[in-house]
Amino acid sequence: QKEVEQNSGPLSVPEGAIASLNCTYSDRGSQSFFWYRQYSGKSPELIMFIYSNGDKEDGRFTAQLNKASQYVSLLIRDSQPSDSATYLCAVPRAGEKLTFGTGTRLTIIP
Amino acid sequence: GAGVSQTPSNKVTEKGKYVELRCDPISGHTALYWYRQSLGQGPEFLIYFQGTGAADDSGLPNDRFFAVRPEGSVSTLKIQRTERGDSAVYLCASSSDRGKPQHFGDGTRLSIL
């Protein structure tokens, strides 16, 4: 089992709808979780992070943690074409080094 | 302030050559990380510095790879006797302290011919 797994997609969502991205992790002791957005040919950009103590909302983005099932979700409300990108989930391993999933490619259809 | 700066943005060289990749972290960030990203994959950890010392170099693939951060700010990733399999985007990230969110630079796209 990979340490961090994501469905590679592509995931197509109509403009204005909710995009839901999921990530499963193998280390039950993980305490923090990061979501990065990566446009084609660009570097990862941090858009959201949560700790094991609860969910978090920031504008159109919500990150949710399900510790029992060991997955984290990123919800994007009112999806815009500019949200089209690859979304990377990352979990720290041994405290510092991030382990990334392969990313989910999201396409928002106008 | 300015974000993480990486130079060069692109580097093309021949197999067997030596390359140096530079990273200038966000001012005041004590933690610095190097990752490598291949097409269609997420970044893979290479090495982590806290201050001047390499706190974790477990991700370096072999002894051809080496990194330094002599004054606790700028870091250089050095690759000797490059191989075609070293071709990738090399990403640098920094954070204000250990455990804090990491912010990435634009990367260096390395191509070994």
Side-chain angles (χ1 to χ4, degrees):
Chain A
Q1 181 187 8
K2 291 184 178 179
E3 294 183 62
V4 179
E5 291 200 64
Q6 297 180 256
N7 186 324
S8 62
L11 175 65
S12 296
V13 174
E15 183 175 358
I18 296 175
S20 178
L21 303 159
N22 292 323
C23 165
T24 60
Y25 60 95
S26 61
D27 183 357
R28 188 170 290 277
S30 296
Q31 297 290 316
S32 56
F33 308 86
F34 299 85
W35 284 99
Y36 287 83
R37 177 176 64 199
Q38 187 170 30
Y39 292 114
S40 182
K42 302 295 185 182
S43 63
E45 173 193 8
L46 180 68
I47 56 169
M48 181 71 79
F49 62 94
I50 58 170
Y51 297 105
S52 59
N53 57 353
D55 301 343
K56 183 176 179 180
E57 181 176 322
D58 184 1
R60 296 187 295 112
F61 297 92
T62 299
Q64 298 176 324
L65 173 63
N66 185 318
K67 292 175 67 174
S69 299
Q70 293 180 232
Y71 74 82
V72 291
S73 300
L74 179 69
L75 302 177
I76 306 175
R77 289 181 300 282
D78 188 24
S79 297
Q80 303 296 310
S82 60
D83 296 327
S84 297
T86 295
Y87 289 80
L88 296 161
C89 171
V91 181
R93 177 163 52 92
E96 301 305 326
K97 46 196 175 188
L98 292 177
T99 298
F100 286 83
T102 54
T104 298
R105 187 155 54 95
L106 173 66
T107 300
I108 306 301
I109 305 169
Chain B
V4 177
S5 176
Q6 291 188 247
T7 55
S9 55
N10 284 282
K11 177 71 176 178
V12 181
T13 192
E14 295 179 342
K15 177 177 177 293
K17 299 292 187 182
Y18 168 82
V19 297
E20 289 190 351
L21 312 179
R22 175 188 167 106
C23 172
D24 198 343
I26 293 172
S27 178
H29 278 195
T30 59
L32 185 146
Y33 310 80
W34 285 98
Y35 293 83
R36 178 168 72 172
Q37 186 174 24
S38 300
L39 194 63
Q41 302 297 315
E44 293 181 302
F45 170 80
L46 296 176
I47 187 169
Y48 152 59
F49 288 90
Q50 182 64 39
T52 61
D56 185 345
D57 64 358
S58 61
L60 295 178
N62 52 59
D63 61 5
R64 295 186 298 105
F65 289 74
F66 189 70
V68 296
R69 195 186 185 200
E71 298 179 356
S73 180
V74 171
S75 176
T76 304
L77 177 65
K78 308 180 181 190
I79 311 174
Q80 299 177 318
R81 303 183 305 280
T82 52
E83 300 177 357
R84 293 196 177 89
D86 299 334
S87 297
V89 176
Y90 288 80
L91 296 164
C92 178
S94 70
S95 66
S96 58
D97 202 351
R98 55 188 306 161
K100 299 298 185 184
Q102 298 176 27
H103 300 273
F104 284 83
D106 288 338
T108 294
R109 184 175 299 277
L110 177 65
S111 299
I112 309 299
L113 303 180

